[in-house]
Amino acid sequence: NVPLMNSLVLYTAVHAIMQNAGQDKNPVTTGASMEIFLKLSRDLDTEGRYLLLNAIANQLRFPNSHTHYLSCVLLFLFQSTQDKEIVREQITRVLIERLIVNKPHPWGLLITFIELIKNPTYDFWRHDFVRSSKEIEQLFQSVARFCLPQQAVGQGMPPGTLGGADGVSPAAQS
């Protein structure tokens, strides 16, 4: 049920944002809202998880608290699902599906994907699904070239991928 999933995601995000307003702790990695997102991402079947991730991606729009929170949720889900490579693949699929269509792309969507491919914490370029076939790898490289500024292409990516020299971004070297 798509409307139910969209409503659940938005309500959970709004509740988490309101609950953590004015607090110094990291609202993404703690709390009942994050537990709900983690539980759903682990326990839903493939179709249900796809609907969940699409509902989250629907909120990646212009700069606001919803976009920030749900961008962090997606990135946290990508990082925290060590045993579930399928979740990472589905997160990537949802983002890529939205980026391969004609412009303009929502700001939050671009920022989330750029963070995913540039930040060495997520180790995006080393996952098997990125290199599952030559065509898929070329698609990721093409989208990365589009999303990243020219001077940043290759940073945070392994050698041989989009011209990355050492696979470590300058921020990670300092």
Side-chain angles (χ1 to χ4, degrees):
N1 190 338
V2 175
L4 176 64
M5 190 64 75
N6 288 333
S7 298
L8 175 67
V9 165
L10 186 59
Y11 177 80
T12 305
V14 168
H15 180 73
I17 292 165
M18 288 175 27
Q19 191 173 32
N20 294 307
Q23 295 182 4
D24 292 334
K25 68 178 184 172
N26 186 351
V28 176
T29 59
T30 60
S33 297
M34 191 64 224
E35 290 300 318
I36 290 171
F37 288 123
L38 282 169
K39 177 95 172 125
L40 288 172
S41 72
R42 290 181 180 144
D43 294 349
L44 286 172
D45 64 351
T46 304
E47 182 183 358
R49 188 171 37 249
Y50 181 73
L51 294 175
L52 170 71
L53 297 173
N54 267 304
I56 293 172
N58 286 342
Q59 300 302 318
L60 301 178
R61 300 171 293 177
F62 51 90
N64 63 22
S65 58
H66 297 117
T67 296
H68 177 260
Y69 178 77
L70 288 166
S71 175
C72 291
V73 166
L74 261 186
L75 294 169
F76 185 77
L77 290 176
F78 189 91
Q79 185 180 16
S80 67
T81 54
Q82 302 297 336
D83 56 333
K84 296 272 247 176
E85 190 73 6
I86 187 68
V87 175
R88 291 179 174 158
E89 187 173 346
Q90 280 189 300
I91 290 170
T92 304
R93 174 187 173 190
V94 166
L95 295 174
I96 287 288
E97 283 177 346
R98 292 160 185 262
L99 289 169
I100 60 175
V101 297
N102 291 331
K103 297 180 199 176
H105 302 300
W107 177 86
L109 182 70
L110 287 171
I111 293 301
T112 303
F113 187 71
I114 289 169
E115 180 69 14
L116 185 63
I117 63 176
K118 280 186 72 175
N119 192 332
T121 303
Y122 305 112
D123 208 15
F124 179 79
W125 297 101
R126 304 220 193 284
H127 292 287
D128 290 336
F129 64 84
V130 174
R131 292 181 307 254
S132 61
S133 74
K134 191 84 168 150
E135 294 81 19
I136 296 292
E137 190 172 5
Q138 288 173 347
L139 173 68
F140 284 127
Q141 290 175 357
S142 173
V143 172
R145 268 190 226 101
F146 167 77
C147 290
L148 297 174
Q150 282 305 99
Q151 68 274 16
V153 171
Q155 295 176 357
M157 299 171 205
T161 306
L162 294 177
D166 61 359
V168 179
S169 70
Q173 291 175 347
S174 330

